[in-house]
PDB file of all heavy atoms in Angstrom:
ATOM      1  N   ALA A 248    -138.364  29.157-261.525  1.00  0.00           N
ATOM      2  CA  ALA A 248    -139.637  29.291-260.644  1.00  0.00           C
ATOM      3  C   ALA A 248    -140.247  30.602-260.702  1.00  0.00           C
ATOM      4  O   ALA A 248    -139.643  31.633-260.912  1.00  0.00           O
ATOM      5  CB  ALA A 248    -139.236  28.989-259.130  1.00  0.00           C
ATOM      6  N   THR A 252    -143.863  40.176-257.134  1.00  0.00           N
ATOM      7  CA  THR A 252    -143.487  41.235-256.441  1.00  0.00           C
ATOM      8  C   THR A 252    -144.573  42.286-256.416  1.00  0.00           C
ATOM      9  O   THR A 252    -145.020  42.740-257.455  1.00  0.00           O
ATOM     10  CB  THR A 252    -142.227  41.862-257.020  1.00  0.00           C
ATOM     11  OG1 THR A 252    -141.222  40.897-257.017  1.00  0.00           O
ATOM     12  CG2 THR A 252    -141.713  43.079-256.091  1.00  0.00           C
ATOM     13  N   LEU A 268    -152.346  49.761-257.663  1.00  0.00           N
ATOM     14  CA  LEU A 268    -151.605  48.740-256.906  1.00  0.00           C
ATOM     15  C   LEU A 268    -150.787  47.948-257.874  1.00  0.00           C
ATOM     16  O   LEU A 268    -151.280  47.456-258.883  1.00  0.00           O
ATOM     17  CB  LEU A 268    -152.508  47.783-256.169  1.00  0.00           C
ATOM     18  CG  LEU A 268    -153.520  48.465-255.147  1.00  0.00           C
ATOM     19  CD1 LEU A 268    -154.301  47.405-254.428  1.00  0.00           C
ATOM     20  CD2 LEU A 268    -152.794  49.294-254.222  1.00  0.00           C
ATOM     21  N   CYS A 270    -148.053  45.105-259.441  1.00  0.00           N
ATOM     22  CA  CYS A 270    -147.767  43.782-259.323  1.00  0.00           C
ATOM     23  C   CYS A 270    -146.780  43.400-260.575  1.00  0.00           C
ATOM     24  O   CYS A 270    -147.122  43.650-261.661  1.00  0.00           O
ATOM     25  CB  CYS A 270    -148.993  42.937-259.402  1.00  0.00           C
ATOM     26  SG  CYS A 270    -148.599  41.129-259.591  1.00  0.00           S
ATOM     27  N   TYR A 272    -144.385  40.063-262.050  1.00  0.00           N
ATOM     28  CA  TYR A 272    -144.156  38.699-261.920  1.00  0.00           C
ATOM     29  C   TYR A 272    -142.963  38.191-262.700  1.00  0.00           C
ATOM     30  O   TYR A 272    -142.506  38.897-263.629  1.00  0.00           O
ATOM     31  CB  TYR A 272    -145.422  37.950-262.437  1.00  0.00           C
ATOM     32  CG  TYR A 272    -145.614  37.968-263.887  1.00  0.00           C
ATOM     33  CD1 TYR A 272    -145.112  37.062-264.690  1.00  0.00           C
ATOM     34  CD2 TYR A 272    -146.298  39.191-264.372  1.00  0.00           C
ATOM     35  CE1 TYR A 272    -145.256  37.238-266.162  1.00  0.00           C
ATOM     36  CE2 TYR A 272    -146.465  39.242-265.833  1.00  0.00           C
ATOM     37  CZ  TYR A 272    -145.915  38.249-266.666  1.00  0.00           C
ATOM     38  OH  TYR A 272    -146.000  38.431-268.000  1.00  0.00           O
ATOM     39  N   TYR A 279    -150.963  32.413-265.829  1.00  0.00           N
ATOM     40  CA  TYR A 279    -152.292  32.953-265.442  1.00  0.00           C
ATOM     41  C   TYR A 279    -152.068  33.963-264.228  1.00  0.00           C
ATOM     42  O   TYR A 279    -151.207  33.576-263.409  1.00  0.00           O
ATOM     43  CB  TYR A 279    -153.274  31.906-264.889  1.00  0.00           C
ATOM     44  CG  TYR A 279    -153.745  30.890-265.972  1.00  0.00           C
ATOM     45  CD1 TYR A 279    -154.544  29.806-265.609  1.00  0.00           C
ATOM     46  CD2 TYR A 279    -153.460  31.046-267.292  1.00  0.00           C
ATOM     47  CE1 TYR A 279    -155.088  28.882-266.584  1.00  0.00           C
ATOM     48  CE2 TYR A 279    -153.913  30.154-268.292  1.00  0.00           C
ATOM     49  CZ  TYR A 279    -154.666  29.101-267.890  1.00  0.00           C
ATOM     50  OH  TYR A 279    -155.127  28.210-268.819  1.00  0.00           O
ATOM     51  N   ASN A 288    -159.827  39.373-241.045  1.00  0.00           N
ATOM     52  CA  ASN A 288    -160.196  38.127-240.472  1.00  0.00           C
ATOM     53  C   ASN A 288    -161.054  37.369-241.326  1.00  0.00           C
ATOM     54  O   ASN A 288    -161.927  36.636-240.875  1.00  0.00           O
ATOM     55  CB  ASN A 288    -160.914  38.308-239.083  1.00  0.00           C
ATOM     56  CG  ASN A 288    -159.867  38.831-238.074  1.00  0.00           C
ATOM     57  OD1 ASN A 288    -158.792  38.326-237.986  1.00  0.00           O
ATOM     58  ND2 ASN A 288    -160.158  39.962-237.312  1.00  0.00           N
ATOM     59  N   GLN A 289    -160.860  37.427-242.658  1.00  0.00           N
ATOM     60  CA  GLN A 289    -161.673  36.676-243.624  1.00  0.00           C
ATOM     61  C   GLN A 289    -160.681  35.963-244.590  1.00  0.00           C
ATOM     62  O   GLN A 289    -159.480  36.318-244.699  1.00  0.00           O
ATOM     63  CB  GLN A 289    -162.623  37.594-244.377  1.00  0.00           C
ATOM     64  CG  GLN A 289    -163.737  38.144-243.519  1.00  0.00           C
ATOM     65  CD  GLN A 289    -164.806  38.930-244.381  1.00  0.00           C
ATOM     66  OE1 GLN A 289    -164.998  38.620-245.579  1.00  0.00           O
ATOM     67  NE2 GLN A 289    -165.422  39.766-243.733  1.00  0.00           N
ATOM     68  N   GLY A 290    -161.258  35.102-245.375  1.00  0.00           N
ATOM     69  CA  GLY A 290    -160.513  34.523-246.534  1.00  0.00           C
ATOM     70  C   GLY A 290    -160.332  35.504-247.552  1.00  0.00           C
ATOM     71  O   GLY A 290    -160.783  36.663-247.652  1.00  0.00           O
ATOM     72  N   ASN A 308    -166.444  45.122-258.292  1.00  0.00           N
ATOM     73  CA  ASN A 308    -166.256  46.378-257.521  1.00  0.00           C
ATOM     74  C   ASN A 308    -165.542  47.513-258.312  1.00  0.00           C
ATOM     75  O   ASN A 308    -164.934  48.298-257.568  1.00  0.00           O
ATOM     76  CB  ASN A 308    -165.437  46.074-256.160  1.00  0.00           C
ATOM     77  CG  ASN A 308    -166.227  45.031-255.326  1.00  0.00           C
ATOM     78  OD1 ASN A 308    -167.457  44.826-255.433  1.00  0.00           O
ATOM     79  ND2 ASN A 308    -165.530  44.404-254.435  1.00  0.00           N
ATOM     80  N   PHE A 314    -152.676  43.167-268.320  1.00  0.00           N
ATOM     81  CA  PHE A 314    -151.493  42.303-268.438  1.00  0.00           C
ATOM     82  C   PHE A 314    -150.554  42.941-269.556  1.00  0.00           C
ATOM     83  O   PHE A 314    -151.027  43.227-270.713  1.00  0.00           O
ATOM     84  CB  PHE A 314    -151.991  40.838-268.925  1.00  0.00           C
ATOM     85  CG  PHE A 314    -150.919  40.019-269.340  1.00  0.00           C
ATOM     86  CD1 PHE A 314    -149.824  39.766-268.470  1.00  0.00           C
ATOM     87  CD2 PHE A 314    -150.832  39.418-270.546  1.00  0.00           C
ATOM     88  CE1 PHE A 314    -148.796  38.860-268.891  1.00  0.00           C
ATOM     89  CE2 PHE A 314    -149.869  38.536-271.002  1.00  0.00           C
ATOM     90  CZ  PHE A 314    -148.855  38.327-270.189  1.00  0.00           C
ATOM     91  N   SER A 327    -161.927  55.483-259.058  1.00  0.00           N
ATOM     92  CA  SER A 327    -162.326  56.262-257.918  1.00  0.00           C
ATOM     93  C   SER A 327    -162.490  55.378-256.658  1.00  0.00           C
ATOM     94  O   SER A 327    -163.417  54.574-256.653  1.00  0.00           O
ATOM     95  CB  SER A 327    -163.677  56.890-258.265  1.00  0.00           C
ATOM     96  OG  SER A 327    -164.147  57.688-257.104  1.00  0.00           O
ATOM     97  N   SER A 341    -149.770  31.830-261.640  1.00  0.00           N
ATOM     98  CA  SER A 341    -149.858  30.378-261.871  1.00  0.00           C
ATOM     99  C   SER A 341    -149.449  30.086-263.302  1.00  0.00           C
ATOM    100  O   SER A 341    -150.032  30.598-264.210  1.00  0.00           O
ATOM    101  CB  SER A 341    -151.342  29.809-261.599  1.00  0.00           C
ATOM    102  OG  SER A 341    -151.432  28.476-261.997  1.00  0.00           O
ATOM    103  N   PRO A 342    -148.413  29.337-263.496  1.00  0.00           N
ATOM    104  CA  PRO A 342    -148.017  28.947-264.833  1.00  0.00           C
ATOM    105  C   PRO A 342    -149.007  28.184-265.650  1.00  0.00           C
ATOM    106  O   PRO A 342    -149.717  27.381-265.062  1.00  0.00           O
ATOM    107  CB  PRO A 342    -146.751  28.121-264.681  1.00  0.00           C
ATOM    108  CG  PRO A 342    -146.214  28.470-263.263  1.00  0.00           C
ATOM    109  CD  PRO A 342    -147.406  28.796-262.543  1.00  0.00           C
ATOM    110  N   LEU A 350    -150.689  28.274-256.709  1.00  0.00           N
ATOM    111  CA  LEU A 350    -150.544  29.651-256.958  1.00  0.00           C
ATOM    112  C   LEU A 350    -149.408  30.203-256.100  1.00  0.00           C
ATOM    113  O   LEU A 350    -149.221  29.914-254.897  1.00  0.00           O
ATOM    114  CB  LEU A 350    -151.809  30.420-256.491  1.00  0.00           C
ATOM    115  CG  LEU A 350    -153.022  30.390-257.443  1.00  0.00           C
ATOM    116  CD1 LEU A 350    -154.040  31.345-256.883  1.00  0.00           C
ATOM    117  CD2 LEU A 350    -152.498  30.796-258.891  1.00  0.00           C
ATOM    118  N   GLY A 355    -148.605  41.021-250.602  1.00  0.00           N
ATOM    119  CA  GLY A 355    -149.886  41.922-250.268  1.00  0.00           C
ATOM    120  C   GLY A 355    -149.554  43.266-250.207  1.00  0.00           C
ATOM    121  O   GLY A 355    -148.539  43.835-249.815  1.00  0.00           O
ATOM    122  N   SER A 361    -158.812  57.289-247.101  1.00  0.00           N
ATOM    123  CA  SER A 361    -159.223  58.254-246.047  1.00  0.00           C
ATOM    124  C   SER A 361    -160.328  59.132-246.698  1.00  0.00           C
ATOM    125  O   SER A 361    -160.434  59.452-247.873  1.00  0.00           O
ATOM    126  CB  SER A 361    -157.992  59.165-245.753  1.00  0.00           C
ATOM    127  OG  SER A 361    -157.415  59.778-246.990  1.00  0.00           O
TER     128      SER A 361
END
Side-chain angles (χ1 to χ4, degrees):
Chain A
T252 301
L268 304 182
C270 173
Y272 68 91
Y279 289 178
N288 292 313
Q289 292 188 25
N308 301 339
F314 170 57
S327 176
S341 171
L350 280 188
S361 57

